[in-house]
Amino acid sequence: MSTPQFGRKVSLIIGQDSGDALDLSELRVVFSIKRGDLQTPNSGRFRVFNLAPETARRVQKEFTRVVFQGGYAGNYGILFDGTIKQVRRGRESQTDTYLDITAADGDSAYNFAVVNTTLAAGSTPADHVAAACTAMNPYGVTQGYLPELPTNPLPRGKVMFGMARDFMRWTARTCQTVWSIQDGKAIMVPETSYMPGEIPVITSETGMIGLPEQTQNGITIKMLLNPSVKIGRLIEINNASVQQYEYSLNVGQQAQSERIEQQAKLQDDGYYYVMIAEHYGDTRGNDFYTDAICLAADVTVLPDSFKTKAAVPPDFVIKKYG
């Protein structure tokens, strides 16, 4: 997809899971949303200016959920869907008041969901994920994208008692995947692959700001606010525009440089896996951006030769985050 970015659009809905809701889209909103393929839940912060006192009190007392959408005509979608954790009132000046809303995506399920079940002999990793997600259901998290997992059945029954997040973590490790919660859905993505879906093309014509840069953590890129940039999916970048990393000439850092060259390498066809995405802006200001950190789509396990040169992640794990 290569839709030009023109004509800002935003929507901020505050409400309950079912029932009344408030549309605050016409007010000035300053927002900061952090997303990643991390186990730690995504977060969103929204500062809404000059609400009526009665409306501010309703948000503080009645509502539990926030849904924020943004983008441009032709490229508009959900940037954050989560649960309100704190609402704070304040004043920026003698004339301007604000309401700060702090929210998280799936943190109640992450912190409180407990699995308490027994699976019969023959269960598979997919069954373990389903049991963990079932425990998360009462907290608003359901099972999302799941790749093809190993089908080797367990010869005996399996007792599952403990935090749902721990079972998701153990299953992800044994299946060479990373797991996270995205918009109320628990997803798993293979460490050496990605989620299927539309691939946005990021160029200067479609909103790229400045030039992408190769860093120790991956390829960093800044663009106009883009809801098509999804965690675990691909974006397309022209490699000719990437500013390459300068490696140290220090012999003692040679192993580190070689490792960075493997983990943050440039992809031959220009496709990159989105590992972290941060959306931030001001609906009445200049900021309206997305920052992303990406990895080459075909990054695999480091060669065995690197293990004798420097410390490396555990076997079958190549991403720094996840």
Side-chain angles (χ1 to χ4, degrees):
M1 187 193 73
S2 56
T3 305
Q5 308 268 63
F6 180 78
R8 289 184 179 184
K9 293 177 63 178
V10 296
S11 171
L12 177 62
I13 306 297
I14 308 293
Q16 301 168 344
D17 291 335
S18 61
D20 293 340
L22 293 175
D23 186 348
L24 306 179
S25 308
E26 298 301 319
L27 299 174
R28 179 190 174 193
V29 180
V30 177
F31 59 92
S32 175
I33 298 165
K34 300 181 184 298
R35 309 179 66 121
D37 66 351
L38 312 167
Q39 297 173 29
T40 304
N42 300 326
S43 64
R45 298 177 183 275
F46 307 91
R47 173 166 288 190
V48 187
F49 286 85
N50 298 325
L51 274 76
E54 180 60 29
T55 302
R57 282 192 291 269
R58 290 192 64 194
V59 174
Q60 285 183 303
K61 295 181 179 180
E62 298 180 23
F63 300 121
T64 59
R65 184 178 176 188
V66 55
V67 178
F68 183 77
Q69 301 179 79
Y72 295 82
N75 186 16
Y76 176 76
I78 292 178
L79 294 170
F80 184 84
D81 184 350
T83 304
I84 296 175
K85 310 310 298 182
Q86 181 183 14
V87 179
R88 185 169 58 90
R89 300 171 68 179
R91 180 177 293 276
E92 192 171 77
S93 67
Q94 294 299 319
T95 57
D96 292 324
T97 61
Y98 63 79
L99 191 73
D100 275 349
I101 301 170
T102 302
D105 179 10
D107 77 307
S108 294
Y110 182 85
N111 289 320
F112 303 116
V114 174
V115 183
N116 185 10
T117 188
T118 301
L119 301 180
S123 65
T124 64
D127 297 324
H128 307 159
V129 171
C133 289
T134 298
M136 293 183 181
N137 288 166
Y139 299 94
V141 173
T142 59
Q143 182 175 317
Y145 175 75
L146 194 67
E148 185 176 347
L149 300 178
T151 57
N152 299 332
L154 294 181
R156 299 180 180 178
K158 181 177 179 63
V159 176
M160 298 181 65
F161 179 75
M163 301 300 294
R165 65 171 185 257
D166 292 335
F167 285 101
M168 291 294 290
R169 181 183 301 119
W170 295 333
T171 304
R173 286 178 178 173
T174 59
C175 296
Q176 300 177 36
T177 62
V178 292
W179 84 279
S180 62
I181 299 174
Q182 306 293 332
D183 298 325
K185 295 186 180 298
I187 67 170
M188 279 189 170
V189 183
E191 291 175 350
T192 57
S193 186
Y194 47 86
M195 288 175 56
E198 197 168 23
I199 301 176
V201 179
I202 311 300
T203 67
S204 58
E205 295 180 350
T206 60
M208 184 172 70
I209 306 296
L211 295 172
E213 183 178 358
Q214 184 184 30
T215 70
Q216 296 185 39
N217 296 325
I219 309 302
T220 63
I221 182 171
K222 182 177 182 177
M223 66 199 84
L224 298 179
L225 192 72
N226 194 331
S228 298
V229 176
K230 302 288 188 181
I231 299 299
R233 293 188 181 178
L234 297 182
I235 62 173
E236 183 178 352
I237 305 172
N238 183 352
N239 280 342
S241 65
V242 178
Q243 305 298 294
Q244 296 187 353
Y245 182 78
E246 180 180 2
Y247 298 102
S248 173
L249 297 179
N250 189 329
V251 176
Q253 295 182 351
Q254 181 179 357
Q256 179 183 4
S257 296
E258 292 178 358
R259 181 176 167 186
I260 293 171
E261 186 175 4
Q262 286 290 320
Q263 293 189 187
K265 71 175 185 177
L266 297 182
Q267 179 78 12
D268 292 339
D269 56 13
Y271 291 113
Y272 293 90
Y273 168 98
V274 180
M275 184 170 59
I276 293 177
E278 297 186 4
H279 310 283
Y280 58 96
D282 184 343
T283 59
R284 297 290 189 273
N286 294 326
D287 288 351
F288 209 65
Y289 300 122
T290 294
D291 290 344
I293 301 178
C294 312
L295 295 178
D298 69 349
V299 168
T300 55
V301 181
L302 292 174
D304 289 338
S305 60
F306 284 92
K307 298 180 182 180
T308 60
K309 296 181 180 180
V312 297
D315 289 342
F316 309 118
V317 178
I318 49 82
K319 293 175 187 171
K320 183 175 180 180
Y321 303 92

